[in-house]
Amino acid sequence: MASGQPYPPPPPPPGAPPPPGYGYPPVQDSSLPLLAGIFLLLGGLSNIIMGGLIFGFGDIIASLPFGTGFGAIFMVCGAIVLIFGLFALIGAIFSFKREKWTLVLLGSILGLFGIGFYFTGSLFCLIALIIVATSRQYYRS
């Protein structure tokens, strides 16, 4: 090396960790999981309320002399919407905790199939699905 410049540092041995100060920057906390949890909570509650109403309506129809088969269909559909709403609520709980990204994603996908009031449950779960899918790095495990 000319003009008194020091020699460059020797290369690190193979398999050595990078020197301090290098690597990826730490992930900053974000409010996206909280926002996704709020939307999942709204969608799940909407689905649960609507599923309960459909289930109750099926019970009323089943009590009529001509509505036994129709009442059973409404009760099964109401129970299915209730289950989809419960999955959305479970996803909301884990989104508030910032844990288990795959379970939050599953809750938002299954919450889409519940109808809620005028499909508001599906709309809220769709918004939560978009937020959850884009914010995976903010969840643990």
Side-chain angles (χ1 to χ4, degrees), residues 43-122:
L45 287 177
S46 177
N47 287 341
I48 286 176
I49 291 171
M50 193 63 187
L53 288 175
I54 293 171
F55 190 84
F57 185 66
D59 190 28
I60 292 171
I61 290 177
S63 66
L64 298 175
F66 60 85
T68 308
F70 293 118
I73 291 172
F74 274 98
M75 291 176 74
V76 167
C77 290
I80 290 171
V81 173
L82 275 168
I83 291 170
F84 287 149
L86 287 175
F87 273 109
L89 283 183
I90 291 170
I93 290 169
F94 281 109
S95 184
F96 288 137
K97 291 180 175 182
R98 296 173 185 254
E99 293 178 354
K100 299 188 181 182
W101 177 81
T102 53
L103 195 60
V104 177
L105 188 69
L106 179 70
S108 59
I109 290 171
L110 290 178
L112 288 172
F113 298 114
I115 52 176
F117 293 109
Y118 298 106
F119 296 99
T120 55
S122 296

